[in-house]
């Protein structure tokens, strides 16, 4: 099957992976996953990201990751789907990529190889090899606090020359790099840190891949649409209303808080695989209160 053609803009949801809470191995709950995707596909989101850090990909073996991907592809009903591809063994990554090439993906989201901290030349070679082999476009995932490897601006601009590297999930934490990539224009810059959503969009970024969009996704979509047509006051009002919830969702390690709130809303069991842990009861209560108060907060003048 051919890769799905898409433009990387709008709000993308990095899906959590639901687990069944009454099994010893905490099996993937494909029923809950399918139900969630069918709900979110009608909210205006641009697409889904599967098996990222929010999806606890590191706790899933490859057959489980492919099964999760296939469930999402089926339930997404044609909405674009991007698959995460993380690792630090090039041969293993290339073999996994070959198997992903048989799926109709909109893109492959790839971070730098973690732990080994290669040179910039090594990083350029890593991403170029993946992009050469991928049937779907490659989306760079710049997240040095997880990988230990920083992609410099020169490296990112060099990678932008590759015909099959089209976008970046920007978690680099360098506002100057973000601005330079947006000004360069060859990569679609997608905010990867939830609290940087409005700033990235206002600078000209094309969208975001943010876990907070599990909750009231239509409001995040409206922020993107408002910036696109120059209604910055409306975008600011919604962003400031959502900020307390966004901050609380990352007060403890992701995706524990998101799963706690999703469980309160009846979408899945509050179950994670070790070493990830559930959010504290106090934070779960705070998240629920913030979520249910959103309508009142947004309606204030």
């Amino acid at each position: 099957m051919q890769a799905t053609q898409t433009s990387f803009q709008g709000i993308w949801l990095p899906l959590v992976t639901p687990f069944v809470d009454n099994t010893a191995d905490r099996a993937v709950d494909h029923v809950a996953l399918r139900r969630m995707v069918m709900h979110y596909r009608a909210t205006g989101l641009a697409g889904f990201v599967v098996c990222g850090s929010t999806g606890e990909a590191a706790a899933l073996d490859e057959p489980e990751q492919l099964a999760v991907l296939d469930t999402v592809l089926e339930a997404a009903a044609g909405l674009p789907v991007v698959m995460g591809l993380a690792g630090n063994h090039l041969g293993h990554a290339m073999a996994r990529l070959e198997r992903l090439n048989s799926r109709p993906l909109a893109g492959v989201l790839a971070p730098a190889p973690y732990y080994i901290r290669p040179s910039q030349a090594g990083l350029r070679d890593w991403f170029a090899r993946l992009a050469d082999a991928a049937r779907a476009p490659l989306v760079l995932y710049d997240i040095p606090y997880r990988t230990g490897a920083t992609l410099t601006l020169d490296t990112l601009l060099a990678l932008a020359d590759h015909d099959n590297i089209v976008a970046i999930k920007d978690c680099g934490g360098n506002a100057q790099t973000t601005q330079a990539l947006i000004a360069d224009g060859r990569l679609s810059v997608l905010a990867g840190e939830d609290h940087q959503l409005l700033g990235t969009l206002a600078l000209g970024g094309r969208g975001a891949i943010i876990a907070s969009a599990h909750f009231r996704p239509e409001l995040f979509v409206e922020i993107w649409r408002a910036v696109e047509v120059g209604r910055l006051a409306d975008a600011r009002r919604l962003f400031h209303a959502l900020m307390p919830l966004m901050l609380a969702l990352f007060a403890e390690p992701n995706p524990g808080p998101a799963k706690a709130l999703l469980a309160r809303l009846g979408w899945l069991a509050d179950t994670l695989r070790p070493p990830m842990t559930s959010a504290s009861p106090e934070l779960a209560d705070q998240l629920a209160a913030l979520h249910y108060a959103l309508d009142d907060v947004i309606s204030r003048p």
Side-chain angles (χ1 to χ4, degrees):
M1 288 182 284
Q2 295 298 314
T4 300
Q5 298 299 312
T6 189
S7 60
F8 288 91
Q9 62 179 6
I11 306 298
W12 292 69
L13 180 62
L15 282 160
V16 300
T17 301
F19 298 123
V20 180
D21 64 355
N22 60 355
T23 58
D25 60 353
R26 304 184 187 191
V28 174
D29 187 345
H30 288 275
V31 173
L33 179 61
R34 186 176 297 106
R35 186 166 67 101
M36 289 174 60
V37 173
M38 292 174 67
H39 164 71
Y40 286 121
R41 75 187 189 197
T43 60
L45 291 171
F48 300 105
V49 176
V50 179
C51 290
S53 50
T54 299
E56 296 175 77
L60 302 170
D61 61 30
E62 187 183 5
E64 287 178 315
Q65 289 196 21
L66 290 175
V68 167
L69 173 60
D70 288 341
T71 292
V72 174
L73 284 169
E74 179 185 4
L79 203 64
V81 176
V82 168
M83 180 65 173
L85 178 66
N88 59 8
H89 185 290
L90 182 60
H92 293 169
M94 296 291 277
R96 289 171 56 205
L97 184 55
E98 184 177 356
R99 288 182 280 276
L100 292 178
N101 280 342
S102 66
R103 270 76 173 178
L105 295 175
V108 175
L109 178 68
Y114 51 79
Y115 183 74
I116 53 179
R117 301 179 70 187
S119 68
Q120 295 300 304
L123 291 167
R124 290 194 295 271
D125 181 63
W126 172 274
F127 286 112
R129 287 174 183 267
L130 294 180
D132 286 343
R135 180 171 297 180
L138 201 71
V139 179
L140 304 174
Y141 187 5
D142 185 21
I143 185 161
Y145 61 81
R146 286 190 182 272
T147 64
T150 297
L151 295 166
T152 66
L153 176 59
D154 286 345
T155 291
L156 292 168
L157 292 174
L159 290 171
D161 279 335
H162 197 292
D163 289 342
N164 204 34
I165 297 177
V166 300
I168 180 170
K169 179 180 179 182
D170 178 24
C171 299
N174 187 320
Q176 188 173 4
T177 297
T178 300
Q179 187 276 331
L181 290 174
I182 292 171
D184 177 74
R186 287 176 292 166
L187 297 176
S188 291
V189 177
L190 305 172
E193 299 290 350
D194 300 47
H195 65 279
Q196 292 175 356
L197 167 64
L198 183 58
T200 297
L201 293 178
L203 282 170
R206 301 303 297 135
I209 302 174
I210 48 174
S212 298
H214 279 93
F215 310 99
R216 301 299 297 272
E218 72 282 358
L219 298 180
F220 288 93
V221 172
E222 179 57 26
I223 290 173
W224 175 77
R225 288 174 175 163
V227 174
E228 283 288 292
V229 298
R231 292 188 288 108
L232 293 181
D234 291 338
R236 283 194 297 268
R237 180 176 59 83
L238 288 173
F239 181 75
H240 289 310
L242 287 163
M243 180 60 81
L245 178 61
M246 285 191 279
L247 293 176
L249 284 167
F250 292 91
E252 295 176 11
N254 179 56
K259 280 194 164 181
L261 183 50
L262 286 167
R264 291 284 184 100
L265 299 175
W267 287 104
L268 47 67
D270 186 10
T271 304
L272 296 90
R273 284 184 176 175
M276 299 307 297
T277 55
S278 297
S280 64
E282 295 79 12
L283 180 57
D285 288 342
Q286 180 188 2
L287 288 164
L290 289 168
H291 182 267
Y292 289 121
L294 269 176
D295 285 333
D296 288 340
V297 173
I298 291 169
S299 66
R300 293 171 190 167

